[in-house]
Amino acid sequence: MQHLVEQNWHSISSDEIIEIFQSDINDGLGPLSIKHKEEQFGKNILENKKRASLLEKFFTQFHNALIYILLAASLITAYLGEWIDSGVIFGVVIINVIIGFVQEVKAQEAIDSLKNMMTTEAIVIRDGKKISISSVDLVPGDIVLLESGSKIPADIRVINQKDIKVDESMLTGESVSVSKNSELYKQDTTLNDRKNMLYSGTFVTYGRAKGVVVATSSHTQIGKIADLIDNTVSLETPLTKKISYFSKVLLVIILTLAALTFLIGILRENSIIDTFMASVALAVGAIPEGLPAAVTITLAIGVSRMAKINSIIRKLPAVETLGSVTTICSDKTGTLTQNKMTVTNIYCGKTSYEVKGNGYEPKGDILINNEKVKDFDTNIQEVLKAGYLCNESYLVSKDGTYSIKGDPTEGALIVSCLKAGFNEHNLENSFPRIDILPFESDKQYMATINKDKQTNQNTIFIKGSVEKILEICDFEIIDDKSISLDKELIHNQVTKYASQGLRVLALAQKVTQQVQIDEKELQDGFVFLGLQAMMDPPRQEAIHAVQKCHNAGINIIMITGDHALTAFSIAQMITIVPKDANFEQSVLKGSELFNLSDEELIERVSTVKVFARVEPEQKLRIVDALQARGEVVAMTGDGVNDAPALKQANIGIAMGQGGTEVAKEASDMILSDDNFSSIERAVKEGRNVFDNLVKFITWTLPTNLGEGLVILFSIMLGVTLPILPLQILWINMSTAIFLGLMLVFEASEINIMDRVPRDPKEPIMTKVMVTQMLVVGFYMLVTSYAMFSYMLTIGHSIEYARTVAVNIFVFIEIFYLFSCKQLELSVFKTNLLDNKFLLLGVGFMVLLQLLFTHTTFMNNVFKSEPLELTTWLTIIAISFCVVLVVEIKKIIEFKINRF
């Protein structure tokens, strides 16, 4: 079977294919042959690979180094009878696990979406009879009949056809319907250029065809994409990688310190249980219990913020990943462009006009030499009128939004005519259609006969390729005078338009006595009217977004199935490449990419800005090559063809309105407004999320260090623990929620989009952060231990002294919180009141500490004791001094960096 599913069917004649599958062009397959092929090839449906169960996903959340330590601490404290300690520790674990599980449950459904896209009805010839069957029952060798509106149910080789056009945008990403034929093509012909092939999941927009099924289920092009999605490993994000590495390093440090504490206690002949509880206290104190929850909640808040700017996050870590992006690979059609063919230039009467306006809305000026045309001469009126009348499409308006029913190219001609002030109703009434010859790809033209009610004359209007129209024209009308046609001048104008990436159609007319089109009459005698040049224009907002991304040090690459020249021209308009860029260096075609080794491609991606005529597998290779260079890659797309690359990219961005469900399910983020400019705002938010996470980590780790050092020094000195394990948990969890998490509401810094992306290799703990952690951690150690010892010395109870130590830690964290609003800028140059959530959190934390200290219930649970006013004033004074310590540290670092 393998040799049958991997054939280059486009390079084999339809007769030979029918013979290979033992079918018949007139009678199709017989019952026995169908049964045999069903056994051989199976059902025409995509099968899902087995996914992890909900239970498996839940237990996967426990697979975290910090969680292991907390679980062990919870079990051992329970064994020792410390039930409250054990319960609180285990509760922290469960909270973290549930948060992670809720996110994991949002499983990927890309393959299910593909399966739904493939299911349809098919008209086939079997055993000499024309019948309708489910596409699920199709087998290779089936003879299929297709007509306008049909959804293509499998990969099919065309046997014969009549004017068939197919919308392949969901597969290739290109908006223009493709004309198909039954001709043979070379083996190395790219997917986009295999005009004799019809692919599963695409739609017939015009004409009809008869073909033979050559591939079903996973062997179709859409099936291969499904396999690519299924076999693509979702990468870890920069944040998850750094948190994972950071957790492992922290695990080693914590276990080492805990073991050292236990060993010192044993050597000092302390009680084994007391020494072990001290080691547990150190481990619990050194572990930032709030970190996993803080990361998740911070990202969740980022999700909420991004939803307000039309960016829907499907996977939490994608929020931060956006801030790390170094390269954005963008599909062209519908992402950077409007996916609406628009006439931009008209040439007639030896004059070139520029047409303004965007999309299908019939508004826009027509200019000549940058001046608005107010009175349209006969020449331009005739070329616009011909474009409207020689047309089978319709302009539809709904709720102020315009769309085209029919071919996008014909829609562009309708809109250009209406921009000149023509009225649809008047045109159709004044020039009713008598006959039509639909467009045929082999003839390269379309023609209609329309009756001019005013003159009672019949006119043939014809439009098509420039080469074909010029063949049948000898004259043109200028100022109502017939003159000889200068074909060289026309060709020069076409070359100019083509160099700008424009698609050019020529139009002509001929007065006739006929009421039916006779193709013999279409061979000569036409009067050339002019050219209409069109393109799928770039989104204006995308141009600004690309420029902002460049300012932020982000590289933009266009990946498209369109022709190289068109793609290059659009890339220049959008400023992806500069106006003076070298075409050969900036553009790489799919056929050229195919011949490159992985190593050669990795080298080339550093200079290429436009990849043209590429296939789905090649998009995946491009993303892989960029990642091999250490790039953090974002991939935007809307079609099925984008799905594998969307999943492989560090962050996949799908279009919410124009995107297929497959692309959405494979993505990490969806743009609800299909607006490329939303990406720039999302990147800004992503950078701010990471900045605030760094601020949180810089703020929380000194506390964990200080708590761990207090326990270690207590064992080393053989004195009573200044803080109990349960009190440590109280400090860590309450301050993380009511103080640390308030940092996530910090506004982005002014220069956030003027700096280059973070180096993906840069550790989450920089030298500045480590230094600050050590300084503040040792300050907490010294002040808390000194106050604890002093309180015991002056005769207070151990509960009183421990309450003082706990409050020293909490209030140092409160004042230190303001120093973390800006890690480099002085706290005295920072707006301390701009974050209302932070001020609210501080107020609530102060209230909690008063309850912790002065309520009977909290005194009983946490073994705390009410404090005197003088003690409170001392605690606040000592805590405030941490601000001065950090300021001195910042000044020293500034001077060191300066010299």
Side-chain angles (χ1 to χ4, degrees):
M1 185 181 78
Q2 191 70 15
H3 75 283
L4 290 180
V5 298
E6 294 184 353
Q7 292 280 0
N8 291 311
W9 301 113
H10 59 280
S11 62
I12 304 175
S13 71
S14 56
D15 290 340
E16 188 177 346
I17 293 172
I18 290 171
E19 186 178 337
I20 290 173
F21 287 112
Q22 300 175 343
S23 186
D24 185 275
I25 191 171
N26 296 314
D27 295 335
L29 295 170
L32 292 178
S33 183
I34 292 169
K35 183 180 179 182
H36 172 69
K37 284 181 169 57
E38 284 179 345
E39 294 172 352
Q40 185 179 11
F41 296 99
K43 292 289 186 181
N44 181 30
I45 191 169
L46 296 177
E47 297 295 337
N48 285 344
K49 290 192 176 180
K50 185 179 179 181
R51 290 173 178 167
S53 66
L54 289 178
L55 197 61
E56 289 173 321
K57 289 174 182 175
F58 180 79
F59 284 108
T60 300
Q61 306 308 314
F62 288 91
H63 185 53
N64 179 292
L66 299 182
I67 295 294
Y68 290 155
I69 297 177
L70 291 175
L71 280 174
S74 177
L75 291 172
I76 294 171
T77 50
Y79 177 76
L80 296 175
E82 301 290 341
W83 297 109
I84 294 178
D85 294 40
S86 176
V88 173
I89 296 172
F90 188 70
V92 171
V93 171
I94 293 300
I95 290 172
N96 282 295
V97 167
I98 289 174
I99 291 173
F101 173 70
V102 168
Q103 295 303 319
E104 186 68 22
V105 165
K106 296 177 180 179
Q108 296 298 298
E109 297 176 347
I111 307 303
D112 292 337
S113 296
L114 282 167
K115 183 196 293 187
N116 294 335
M117 292 183 69
M118 289 192 67
T119 304
T120 185
E121 291 294 308
I123 306 297
V124 299
I125 299 175
R126 285 186 170 182
D127 202 21
K129 298 176 183 178
K130 186 162 67 172
I131 60 173
S132 175
I133 65 171
S134 169
S135 63
V136 172
D137 298 321
L138 280 175
V139 294
D142 262 324
I143 304 299
V144 179
L145 304 177
L146 299 162
E147 59 184 15
S148 181
S150 297
K151 186 177 184 179
I152 297 171
D155 283 4
I156 295 171
R157 171 68 159 82
V158 177
I159 298 173
N160 55 58
Q161 55 83 32
K162 178 67 173 177
D163 308 328
I164 188 169
K165 289 185 179 182
V166 178
D167 178 1
E168 294 184 337
S169 60
M170 55 79 68
L171 189 64
T172 66
E174 298 314 311
S175 55
V176 179
S177 295
V178 181
S179 296
K180 297 290 185 174
N181 57 53
S182 57
E183 299 173 7
L184 282 177
Y185 289 87
K186 294 180 181 179
Q187 282 195 15
D188 60 356
T189 303
T190 60
L191 182 74
N192 299 37
D193 295 322
R194 298 172 187 174
K195 301 296 177 63
N196 58 6
M197 293 295 299
L198 307 174
Y199 295 109
S200 178
T202 59
F203 292 87
V204 178
T205 59
Y206 189 81
R208 57 184 184 273
K210 185 178 188 179
V212 56
V213 174
V214 295
T216 57
S217 64
S218 61
H219 304 301
T220 61
Q221 285 298 322
I222 199 172
K224 291 175 183 176
I225 293 173
D227 285 340
L228 284 174
I229 298 172
D230 233 10
N231 294 324
T232 301
V233 178
S234 293
L235 297 180
E236 285 187 299
T237 70
L239 179 66
T240 54
K241 286 180 181 177
K242 289 173 182 176
I243 292 293
S244 176
Y245 178 75
F246 174 66
S247 298
K248 290 174 183 176
V249 172
L250 201 58
L251 173 63
V252 173
I253 294 173
I254 291 169
L255 291 180
T256 301
L257 289 176
L260 181 62
T261 301
F262 187 76
L263 179 62
I264 292 172
I266 295 300
L267 293 176
R268 294 185 63 85
E269 298 183 352
N270 294 341
S271 164
I272 292 179
I273 292 180
D274 290 343
T275 302
F276 181 78
M277 286 302 295
S279 300
V280 169
L282 185 145
V284 170
I287 293 174
E289 291 91 352
L291 181 58
V295 170
T296 303
I297 294 169
T298 303
L299 295 177
I301 292 172
V303 168
S304 176
R305 284 180 172 180
M306 287 190 176
K308 295 176 182 177
I309 56 172
N310 303 309
S311 302
I312 300 169
I313 301 297
R314 297 186 65 251
K315 302 170 186 175
L316 274 187
V319 178
E320 182 276 332
T321 309
L322 276 165
S324 311
V325 165
T326 59
T327 297
I328 298 176
C329 295
S330 176
D331 186 35
K332 178 181 73 67
T333 304
T335 307
L336 293 167
T337 65
Q338 300 177 28
N339 199 11
K340 297 176 180 179
M341 292 299 291
T342 305
V343 172
T344 60
N345 295 87
I346 298 172
Y347 178 83
C348 60
K350 298 185 185 300
T351 304
S352 184
Y353 297 85
E354 184 180 359
V355 183
K356 294 295 185 179
N358 289 309
Y360 293 137
E361 185 175 11
K363 292 182 181 180
D365 296 331
I366 297 179
L367 311 178
I368 181 170
N369 297 325
N370 294 321
E371 294 288 335
K372 179 180 177 181
V373 178
K374 296 180 180 179
D375 298 315
F376 295 96
D377 61 26
T378 304
N379 299 321
I380 191 169
Q381 286 188 45
E382 290 299 318
V383 74
L384 289 170
K385 185 171 68 177
Y388 184 92
L389 296 173
C390 189
N391 204 305
E392 288 192 280
S393 298
Y394 302 92
L395 181 66
V396 179
S397 176
K398 185 177 181 180
D399 299 327
T401 301
Y402 291 87
S403 60
I404 291 295
K405 185 71 173 177
D407 187 85
T409 300
E410 291 193 327
L413 298 176
I414 294 173
V415 174
S416 68
C417 179
L418 298 182
K419 285 178 180 178
F422 282 96
N423 181 278
E424 294 176 88
H425 182 73
N426 291 343
L427 277 174
E428 291 167 5
N429 283 341
S430 301
F431 301 92
R433 181 179 298 170
I434 299 173
D435 195 19
I436 181 172
L437 178 68
F439 179 85
E440 294 185 24
S441 57
D442 56 338
K443 293 186 174 66
Q444 297 184 15
Y445 61 75
M446 169 190 173
T448 63
I449 296 181
N450 295 75
K451 186 178 186 67
D452 186 340
K453 285 186 175 181
Q454 187 174 355
T455 63
N456 209 34
Q457 285 184 330
N458 292 344
T459 302
I460 301 175
F461 293 103
I462 188 168
K463 76 170 188 286
S465 70
V466 175
E467 294 78 9
K468 190 65 181 178
I469 300 303
L470 288 181
E471 282 180 13
I472 60 176
C473 295
D474 295 313
F475 300 95
E476 64 178 322
I477 302 294
I478 297 181
D479 297 330
D480 297 327
K481 295 179 182 179
S482 177
I483 65 172
S484 180
L485 181 62
D486 187 344
K487 295 185 179 181
E488 183 178 351
L489 184 64
I490 303 297
H491 279 299
N492 290 339
Q493 191 64 43
V494 171
T495 301
K496 179 181 177 181
Y497 287 151
S499 67
Q500 299 171 22
L502 301 177
R503 169 190 286 259
V504 185
L505 286 179
L507 300 102
Q509 68 179 26
K510 176 181 181 179
V511 176
T512 182
Q513 300 297 320
Q514 304 293 325
V515 293
Q516 288 187 328
I517 294 176
D518 182 353
E519 292 199 39
K520 292 180 180 179
E521 198 173 358
L522 303 181
Q523 303 305 309
D524 54 31
F526 278 83
V527 176
F528 180 78
L529 295 177
L531 307 171
Q532 293 204 48
M534 62 194 70
M535 69 182 305
D536 181 8
R539 294 175 179 266
Q540 291 302 309
E541 60 271 25
I543 297 174
H544 300 301
V546 168
Q547 291 169 346
K548 288 181 179 179
C549 286
H550 283 159
N551 292 338
I554 299 171
N555 181 35
I556 309 294
I557 294 176
M558 178 191 290
I559 304 179
T560 178
D562 206 349
H563 293 282
L565 194 59
T566 302
F568 181 67
S569 177
I570 294 290
Q572 286 182 312
M573 293 180 191
I574 301 177
T575 70
I576 289 177
V577 295
K579 292 291 183 182
D580 58 350
N582 180 279
F583 179 83
E584 299 298 331
Q585 291 180 351
S586 303
V587 180
L588 186 66
K589 300 175 187 175
S591 55
E592 298 169 332
L593 191 155
F594 181 78
N595 295 320
L596 293 179
S597 66
D598 289 343
E599 291 74 18
E600 290 171 329
L601 179 58
I602 291 170
E603 181 65 28
R604 282 298 307 276
V605 293
S606 63
T607 58
V608 174
K609 300 295 183 184
V610 177
F611 289 89
R613 307 300 282 174
V614 298
E615 300 181 13
E617 296 89 343
Q618 293 178 325
K619 290 187 177 187
L620 195 56
R621 279 192 71 198
I622 294 166
V623 173
D624 282 335
L626 287 164
Q627 290 172 336
R629 294 186 65 87
E631 302 285 339
V632 177
V633 182
M635 167 76 185
T636 70
D638 52 11
V640 173
N641 62 320
D642 298 320
L646 284 173
K647 190 174 181 185
Q648 175 63 23
N650 299 86
I651 177 165
I653 307 172
M655 301 298 113
Q657 296 178 2
T660 60
E661 287 302 313
V662 183
K664 293 174 188 176
E665 293 299 333
S667 69
D668 303 288
M669 183 179 99
I670 300 171
L671 296 182
S672 61
D673 61 350
D674 285 14
N675 194 330
F676 188 88
S677 65
S678 294
I679 297 175
E680 181 269 332
R681 289 181 288 170
V683 168
K684 180 179 179 180
E685 185 60 40
R687 290 187 174 190
N688 189 44
V689 164
F690 186 82
D691 281 359
N692 291 342
L693 276 174
V694 167
K695 291 172 184 177
F696 173 84
I697 293 171
T698 305
W699 169 84
T700 194
L701 288 185
T703 304
N704 301 113
L705 176 64
E707 289 166 344
L709 290 175
V710 165
I711 304 299
L712 179 61
F713 274 78
S714 297
I715 297 300
M716 289 176 64
L717 298 175
V719 298
T720 306
L721 292 178
I723 308 178
L724 296 174
L726 193 59
Q727 293 172 338
I728 288 174
L729 276 175
W730 164 261
I731 295 171
N732 289 356
M733 291 306 295
S734 62
T735 57
I737 293 170
F738 298 110
L739 296 181
L741 281 180
M742 299 305 107
L743 286 170
V744 307
F745 296 104
E746 285 292 302
S748 59
E749 297 177 13
I750 297 175
N751 66 338
I752 198 168
M753 287 301 286
D754 292 327
R755 62 196 192 203
V756 297
R758 297 189 316 276
D759 183 353
K761 298 177 183 178
E762 183 180 80
I764 199 166
M765 287 292 291
T766 62
K767 290 181 180 179
V768 173
M769 293 172 65
V770 171
T771 304
Q772 194 149 307
M773 178 186 71
L774 293 173
V775 169
V776 178
F778 274 98
Y779 182 79
M780 286 181 168
L781 165 67
V782 172
T783 54
S784 63
Y785 197 86
M787 284 296 291
F788 173 77
S789 301
Y790 176 69
M791 290 299 138
L792 292 178
T793 301
I794 62 176
H796 284 295
S797 67
I798 192 166
E799 287 79 11
Y800 190 98
R802 281 174 173 160
T803 304
V804 170
V806 169
N807 279 292
I808 283 285
F809 269 92
V810 171
F811 277 86
I812 285 178
E813 286 192 76
I814 289 174
F815 284 105
Y816 178 52
L817 187 68
F818 290 95
S819 293
C820 290
K821 283 172 64 70
Q822 292 281 348
L823 295 182
E824 296 181 6
L825 194 65
S826 169
V827 69
F828 300 112
K829 295 181 180 179
T830 304
N831 185 352
L832 301 178
L833 305 178
D834 62 340
N835 188 342
K836 294 179 181 179
F837 291 100
L838 186 144
L839 298 176
L840 190 64
V842 168
F844 201 81
M845 193 66 230
V846 171
L847 178 62
L848 282 179
Q849 281 309 112
L850 291 174
L851 293 174
F852 174 88
T853 307
H854 293 285
T855 59
T856 304
F857 173 76
M858 298 292 272
N859 292 160
N860 292 334
V861 172
F862 290 99
K863 298 180 176 61
S864 58
E865 192 172 297
L867 301 180
E868 299 170 356
L869 178 60
T870 53
T871 305
W872 273 116
L873 294 175
T874 305
I875 290 170
I876 292 172
I878 291 173
S879 301
F880 174 76
C881 289
V882 74
V883 175
L884 303 178
V885 171
V886 173
E887 283 301 304
I888 294 170
K889 174 253 179 191
K890 287 182 179 179
I891 293 170
I892 294 172
E893 281 182 342
F894 175 78
K895 291 185 176 180
I896 292 174
N897 293 333
R898 189 175 181 182
F899 295 101

